[in-house]
Amino acid sequence: MLERFKVPEQDRVYVSENNIREATEAILRHSGVPAEEAASSTDVLIKNDLRGVESHGVSNGLRRYVAEYGSNALNPTPNFKVERETKTTMTVDADGALGIHVGPWAMQQAIDKAKEFGMAAVAVKNSGHLAGCGYYAMMAAEQGMIGHCMTAGGALQTVPPFGSKPVMGTNPIAWAAPARNMPPFLFDVATTQVANNKIGLAGRIGADIEPGWIAGLDGEPILEPIPAPKIGEFYSLHIGGTRENGSHKGFGLALMNEIICNELSGFGSGPVHGNPGGHFFQAYDIEAFTDTEKFLDDMDSLLQYIVDVPPAKGFERVLYAGLKEDEDEKDRLANGIPYHREVVEWFESYCAESGIECNLR
Amino acid sequence: MLERFKVPEQDRVYVSENNIREATEAILRHSGVPAEEAASSTDVLIKNDLRGVESHGVSNGLRRYVAEYGSNALNPTPNFKVERETKTTMTVDADGALGIHVGPWAMQQAIDKAKEFGMAAVAVKNSGHLAGCGYYAMMAAEQGMIGHCMTAGGALQTVPPFGSKPVMGTNPIAWAAPARNMPPFLFDVATTQVANNKIGLAGRIGADIEPGWIAGLDGEPILEPIPAPKIGEFYSLHIGGTRENGSHKGFGLALMNEIICNELSGFGSGPVHGNPGGHFFQAYDIEAFTDTEKFLDDMDSLLQYIVDVPPAKGFERVLYAGLKEDEDEKDRLANGIPYHREVVEWFESYCAESGIECNLR
């Protein structure tokens, strides 16, 4: 994540992984989520925070989820309905589950099927926020497979090339693959120039938005740096940004995501129906294609080749997706996760009001 | 494709689909390709030309292929070896086949397996140029499935963010999906700012290259418009272009492509070994996930929603990937394909020299 999105030093409170995990689980249980699912849901958010993806950790997510449980927009005790199933596919109605609730279960179904049949995918509809896609892709990599995940992240937020009105959401995509000694490949991005949650983060820490990242409510790309607007006061732009810079490529990726997450899942078009967006989880068994040991060695050679590329003038080193995330995870496991004090204060006040014991300092 | 890449009106020779198809097949047969494979190889190039993807049709491709057959860099009568196979996967050594030779066969294997088991993929190594990925993804869409194709398009051509030397190729990706009455979704792009073949096309027609599309041989992005350089005199940039504009997203996509096409196929790392790049063909059976009739209706609603978006100031309409390609195909089937006269002259001189009958005018 860009430096500008990091919590400024003077506002940081370092919290140990264990303490933030316990507090988050307790808050989800207090919202009615059973203990086991509270733990697996929490793991998604904490792994995101550990990996430096704090845009999709507890800071932006948890208070929203608590509010959605409180208003019954989410179902804390869903009954997943398998609507269709073959040896390699499954389509699931999540019964109003939060994405981080159904996601780990659904990805594991894909992994288990892929182990038996070479590859598999699970499409999920009728579910809430997934908190990015990287966690789920990494579940496969951690089990020796290639993982892929997408979610049609809401609708009517992102303006297509040549258009004046938004059609799709931020439609994030992720792939992950293991290596032997090098940190795994973990590619996890919105198909917009920047994730909405990052605009929220930038707002909290007073950082500017880069030219070509977002559009005004008239759909025109904003081509100078501006302070982060609030959600609802801007539209997103697809990867590429402006039409001249190839935003049709980002738009096409987002549309692929929409078609697979919403149409293939049977959920129906996000922009037409205004549905909150389906999810898609896929796993490839490496051994079904090639020798896994050779694959892991080849991955090491490839990733080592990349980090050995001489940096361009003014830059320190060449990264691949997943490298910095792995370094962040090691650092944060040892030294704690740097949260904005405002986030820690929210935890403390929520816990005090709800009679939950929570120890973050 | 951008207007600047189109052949200028005064240089156009309109050739009927049938005439260019017959000439291309004859030239491939003359290179030693058996009649059936000459016809299926030709179909890839002609469909690209019909769909307006002339960067990946006969103009740039055929003379290169003829030269590669002539120097025995390609095998015109390959014996495909299935190295590994499961119910849903297949890994194939193409025995030096041209990509357009093995590609239609490999994609059909994926489609046939997906029909039986819900989804499937075929990885191919030891093969030449694929001529883009869109044709193969569309094979699945034409058979009522979602298609996906990638090829690790060469190595050491594209500079990663923060790097000074190239690592990967143009690593194109494609997805296609059918609709009921609307033209199908067909998303087919390089994961670079612009395909190398388009730089070649721009050179032929004297068009400029946009800022942020390519880098100099020092790896620095070129940020002003310049005349198209020759292959070998520039490096490509990943989707996004500059580091500030998110080229890490294009780089991550390219790396996903490299990992699946080269490492998962068992071919080994493109940049490390300098291999010409593996291919990957995948199909999803819609009926395995949802009701196909509902899917086709939902696709129509979605695609209609997009074309109904009011255009931004100065633009005529909003397009989705595949719409213009479908319009071009209808137009070119009726009125002929506009080739640069220099391309037609190459055909005529090659045919004359080789004693092949060819009638293009």
Side-chain angles (χ1 to χ4, degrees), chain A residues 152-158 166-171 258 262 269-272 274-277:
Chain A
L156 307 180
Q157 297 180 61
T158 309
V167 174
M168 288 181 288
T170 56
N171 292 24
E258 156 73 28
N262 282 343
S269 158
V272 175
N275 74 44

Side-chain angles (χ1 to χ4, degrees), chain B residues 155-200:
Chain B
L156 308 179
Q157 299 180 59
T158 309
V159 181
F162 313 128
S164 68
K165 296 279 171 206
V167 174
M168 288 182 287
T170 56
N171 292 24
I173 51 177
W175 283 268
R180 187 183 297 284
N181 297 311
M182 297 293 282
F185 171 68
L186 169 55
F187 175 57
D188 174 23
V189 297
T191 56
T192 50
Q193 285 282 77
V194 62
N196 276 341
N197 276 353
K198 285 193 183 155
I199 306 283

Side-chain angles (χ1 to χ4, degrees), chain A residues 185-258:
Chain A
F185 172 67
L186 169 55
F187 175 57
D188 174 24
V189 296
T191 56
T192 50
Q193 286 282 75
V194 62
N196 276 343
N197 275 353
K198 285 193 184 156
I199 307 283
L201 260 184
R204 183 176 304 125
I205 65 183
D208 268 4
I209 299 303
E210 191 83 7
W213 275 8
I214 58 172
L217 293 181
D218 58 357
E220 289 291 318
I222 295 171
L223 298 175
E224 62 273 7
I226 54 158
K230 293 202 165 49
I231 301 289
E233 293 176 358
F234 66 94
Y235 293 136
S236 295
L237 292 169
H238 292 283
I239 290 177
T242 59
R243 305 157 190 111
E244 296 72 22
N245 201 48
S247 60
H248 66 289
K249 297 196 177 186
F251 178 52
L253 275 175
L255 190 48
M256 174 277 286
N257 174 319
E258 156 73 28

Side-chain angles (χ1 to χ4, degrees), chain A residues 175-335:
Chain A
W175 282 267
R180 188 184 295 286
N181 297 312
M182 297 293 282
F185 172 67
L186 169 55
F187 175 57
D188 174 24
V189 296
T191 56
T192 50
Q193 286 282 75
V194 62
N196 276 343
N197 275 353
K198 285 193 184 156
I199 307 283
L201 260 184
R204 183 176 304 125
I205 65 183
D208 268 4
I209 299 303
E210 191 83 7
W213 275 8
I214 58 172
L217 293 181
D218 58 357
E220 289 291 318
I222 295 171
L223 298 175
E224 62 273 7
I226 54 158
K230 293 202 165 49
I231 301 289
E233 293 176 358
F234 66 94
Y235 293 136
S236 295
L237 292 169
H238 292 283
I239 290 177
T242 59
R243 305 157 190 111
E244 296 72 22
N245 201 48
S247 60
H248 66 289
K249 297 196 177 186
F251 178 52
L253 275 175
L255 190 48
M256 174 277 286
N257 174 319
E258 156 73 28
I259 290 168
I260 292 181
C261 290
N262 282 343
E263 279 65 38
L264 188 62
S265 72
F267 207 13
S269 158
V272 175
H273 302 296
N275 74 44
H279 318 308
F280 191 74
F281 306 90
Q282 185 174 327
Y284 300 92
D285 182 26
I286 293 162
E287 197 63 30
F289 289 93
T290 191
D291 177 58
T292 305
E293 299 306 315
K294 178 177 183 330
F295 177 89
L296 295 173
D297 288 336
D298 286 345
M299 283 294 293
D300 272 9
S301 309
L302 171 69
L303 299 176
Q304 187 68 55
Y305 188 96
I306 291 169
V307 301
D308 286 345
V309 168
K313 255 181 297 180
F315 294 96
E316 228 173 276
R317 58 173 179 156
V318 177
L319 300 166
Y320 63 85
L323 178 59
K324 186 68 172 56
E325 288 77 359
D326 185 76
E327 293 171 353
D328 278 349
E329 184 168 3
K330 285 173 182 137
D331 175 63
R332 291 172 176 203
L333 281 171
N335 302 313

